[in-house]
Structures are given as C-alpha cells and as structure tokens.
Amino acid sequence: MKKKVKLKKEVKYGLMGIIVLIIAVVFLVQFISYRTSTNYKLTELGYSKEEVKTITEKLNAEQVKDILKMEYHKNLVVLLEEKYFIFDNLERYLNYQNENPDKSMSDVVSMVNVNRDRDYYTDTVETDLSLGDLILVNKYHYLPDDFTPENIVSMNLQYAYDDNSVRDYVYDAFLEMYRAAKEEGYQLITNSSYRDYEWQETLYNNYKTSRGQAYADAYAARPGYSEHQTGLALDITCYNCEKNTFDEFPDSEEYQWLLKNSYKYGFILRYPEGKEDITGYSFEAWHFRYVGKDMARKIYNSGLTFDEYYAYYIEK
Ligand SMILES: [Zn+2]
C-alpha cells in the first residue's frame, strides 16, 4: 500500500514537471520570436507602439527592412501619413525637410516628388515618350533634339494668330472647346502652339543674349524642355475682348471659363497660380496642355499640377 502511494506521488510530480517545462518552452519560443520580430526591432530603434503600428500598416515587408537599416526619424510617421508619399523618395524628403524646417510636410512631399529638391536643369532625364499624350516635359524632363510629333496641322486664322500649328486631334479638341465657349459669348484664340527645337533654341538664345541666362530661364524654356515642342500645348487668350493681353488675361472672364471648363475638352491649365514653386514656371493663365478628356478630368479633380500628378500616378 505504501509503495503505491509513493508511486502515485512521483507520477504526479513528474507530470507537473513536464507541464511546467512545456509552458517554459512556449514562453521562451514566444520571447525569442518577439525579440527577433520587426515590431521589436522598430521599438528598439526608438519608435513608439503607435508609430510601429503605422509603419507596419503603411509599408510592405521589404520597405520595413529598409527602415530598419536607417536611424530613428521623428518625421517618418508624419511622412507616411502624407497622401502623396512615395517610398523611393524617403531619404530625399528627410533631407529636404531638414534643410527647409519651415515647410509643411505636404509641401516637402510635393516639392521632392517633382524634383524641386534639385536645381533646375540638374539630374535631367529624357522623358518617357511611350506615354504618348501624357509625356512630361519640364525643367527635369526633356525631349530628344530630333523629336517631332506626327500629325501636325496648321490652324485656321479664325482660331489662331498667324503661323500656328498643332497635332490634328488637339486641334479638334480645341475646336470643340472654342465652340462651347462661343456659345457662352466668349471668343478664344490661340497665340502660340507647336514650336520645334530650333524655334525654341532661337527664342531662348534671344532672351539670353539680350537679358542674360537668369532672365532667359525665367521667361523661356531651354530648347528640348518646352512643352510647346510636344505639339500638345496651346497658349490661349481671347479675341474681340476686353482683356486680351497676357498681362490682363488672368483677370478676364474667358480665363475663368477656361479654368472651369477646359478639362471637359481634354485640356489642363499647366502653370497655375500659387504653384510656381512646383511647376518651375510663373503663373501662365493662357498655357493649356492637352492630356485627353479622361485624364484631364482626373487631374482637374485631384487639384494637382501635372508635374505632381505625373510623379504619383503616372511615373509610379
Ligand atoms: Zn505656353
């Protein structure tokens, strides 16, 4: 009888021992997996629990790995919350923010997305011609010297001043817009349209010779960098109207009409007021760019400049 009780006790303690061991192993495994987890490593870098949550929600595993290679940045999570944040630009955002502490985070994102953390005409690239009507031409994206759009046609003097030409389907779109404006009592006219490389070169060099390079850069694009070379851009003002000069046009009813309606015909205002820092150009109330109706509506609704829209939605 005594022996039996003893044995029972041993079995009892043995079982308890095994259970304790199992629990210990489970805890150990959990502990090790926690210490080697991304969340723990992010915490070790200095990110709070809340920040870790945002980082792992907004970024994919590869991107988080890149974050782990960097130092703690107090602005990282603020950046991640920005609508137009592009991961590849992360280090440039942080540097630009450092150099421009007064700028809001969304301005930082906008500026870097359009390369404005770099000087004009530096790190330039040949634009992606495969994008057709969505090609970007600005102070960082140029057209090849020999780029010549197809289907360039002359514009009738009823719709344009002398010596204007544009792609045929852009002409059609302009005519549709012209007629719609006319019905509301506004007469539009094209002042400037397709300009080839040599034309732009002469224009730019004339400014440069007479007023210097800084002046030339402020008022004309360098050859290869003008949107007019695409055959997709039109400088539009009004005819038989009160405010028909470029200086007066921003105050005209015709400009207001174009601002509200041009997207319906496939055009966007390319250099809007207040976006000079983004586009790299002074406000040009007359310069409209054809991108097609669908895209024009999307860009119009986004409230972005073409440069910003391109960086986030087209190039990405
Ligand atoms: Zn223009």
Side-chain angles (χ1 to χ4, degrees):
M1 278 299 271
K2 248 189 179 179
K3 224 181 180 181
K4 213 177 178 184
V5 173
K6 207 183 171 187
L7 195 76
K8 267 188 180 169
K9 255 189 181 172
E10 273 165 6
V11 170
K12 203 170 151 191
Y13 286 133
L15 273 174
M16 277 171 71
I18 289 166
I19 289 165
V20 168
L21 194 69
I22 289 170
I23 291 169
V25 167
V26 167
F27 271 109
L28 190 69
V29 167
Q30 278 186 344
F31 179 71
I32 290 168
S33 70
Y34 171 67
R35 292 297 286 254
T36 53
S37 72
T38 305
N39 287 26
Y40 178 75
K41 286 178 189 164
L42 286 169
T43 317
E44 282 287 276
L45 268 180
Y47 293 104
S48 71
K49 267 193 178 169
E50 287 266 300
E51 288 174 325
V52 170
K53 194 166 170 262
T54 311
I55 293 169
T56 49
E57 268 170 15
K58 298 262 179 188
L59 300 179
N60 65 38
E62 280 303 306
Q63 292 168 336
V64 174
K65 266 188 200 165
D66 286 341
I67 297 296
L68 289 173
K69 287 178 204 149
M70 297 167 62
E71 287 173 22
Y72 170 82
H73 277 285
K74 66 177 190 327
N75 292 324
L76 177 69
V77 171
V78 190
L79 266 171
L80 293 181
E81 304 278 10
E82 279 298 324
K83 185 171 178 191
Y84 298 110
F85 172 85
I86 296 171
F87 187 78
D88 288 347
N89 289 343
L90 177 57
E91 294 210 23
R92 288 168 63 196
Y93 295 139
L94 294 169
N95 291 336
Y96 189 74
Q97 212 273 328
N98 227 8
E99 289 158 16
N100 301 278
D102 296 338
K103 280 209 179 342
S104 73
M105 206 49 98
S106 60
D107 281 350
V108 167
V109 169
S110 294
M111 291 290 273
V112 172
N113 283 0
V114 300
N115 296 312
R116 290 288 282 110
D117 55 333
R118 295 166 178 165
D119 288 337
Y120 291 142
Y121 301 114
T122 55
D123 295 306
T124 57
V125 290
E126 190 173 300
T127 202
D128 181 358
L129 293 176
S130 72
L131 291 169
D133 292 342
L134 300 182
I135 50 176
L136 176 67
V137 178
N138 63 15
K139 287 172 177 168
Y140 305 94
H141 295 76
Y142 59 87
L143 290 163
D145 298 5
D146 60 354
F147 174 81
T148 315
E150 283 173 29
N151 318 320
I152 292 290
V153 292
S154 280
M155 295 180 79
N156 190 294
L157 287 177
Q158 192 183 344
Y159 310 110
Y161 288 112
D162 208 5
D163 210 8
N164 273 292
S165 58
V166 75
R167 295 194 198 199
D168 52 6
Y169 56 91
V170 179
Y171 192 19
D172 290 343
F174 175 75
L175 292 184
E176 199 188 344
M177 182 161 77
Y178 174 94
R179 286 177 195 126
K182 195 93 192 276
E183 270 184 24
E184 295 188 42
Y186 304 123
Q187 190 171 358
L188 305 177
I189 188 149
T190 295
N191 291 255
S192 188
S193 47
Y194 172 58
R195 296 200 288 259
D196 65 14
Y197 186 89
E198 285 72 27
W199 185 341
Q200 191 66 30
E201 196 171 35
T202 308
L203 186 76
Y204 179 82
N205 286 340
N206 283 347
Y207 276 127
K208 198 175 158 185
T209 317
S210 60
R211 311 286 293 264
Q213 182 158 326
Y215 184 89
D217 277 338
Y219 290 94
R222 291 186 188 178
Y225 294 84
S226 169
E227 206 174 52
H228 284 284
Q229 203 192 326
T230 63
L232 296 164
L234 293 175
D235 289 345
I236 304 166
T237 55
C238 56
Y239 191 74
N240 267 337
C241 56
E242 216 183 304
K243 291 163 175 149
N244 61 353
T245 66
F246 284 136
D247 278 351
E248 296 168 316
F249 192 62
D251 301 319
S252 68
E253 286 182 24
E254 286 81 359
Y255 166 63
Q256 286 305 324
W257 187 88
L258 284 168
L259 196 59
K260 283 190 208 104
N261 297 288
S262 60
Y263 77 91
K264 296 171 192 165
Y265 308 94
F267 293 93
I268 52 164
L269 180 70
R270 186 64 183 85
Y271 308 118
E273 191 171 21
K275 299 290 176 91
E276 296 82 354
D277 261 357
I278 299 289
T279 62
Y281 281 90
S282 307
F283 167 43
E284 292 191 2
W286 51 87
H287 184 114
F288 287 83
R289 157 73 188 265
Y290 181 83
V291 287
K293 286 181 185 175
D294 278 357
M295 193 49 75
R297 183 177 41 78
K298 284 180 187 163
I299 296 171
Y300 177 84
N301 287 335
S302 76
L304 298 173
T305 61
F306 184 57
D307 309 82
E308 293 166 283
Y309 193 92
Y310 182 93
Y312 192 76
Y313 292 107
I314 301 174
E315 189 176 38
K316 202 182 157 195

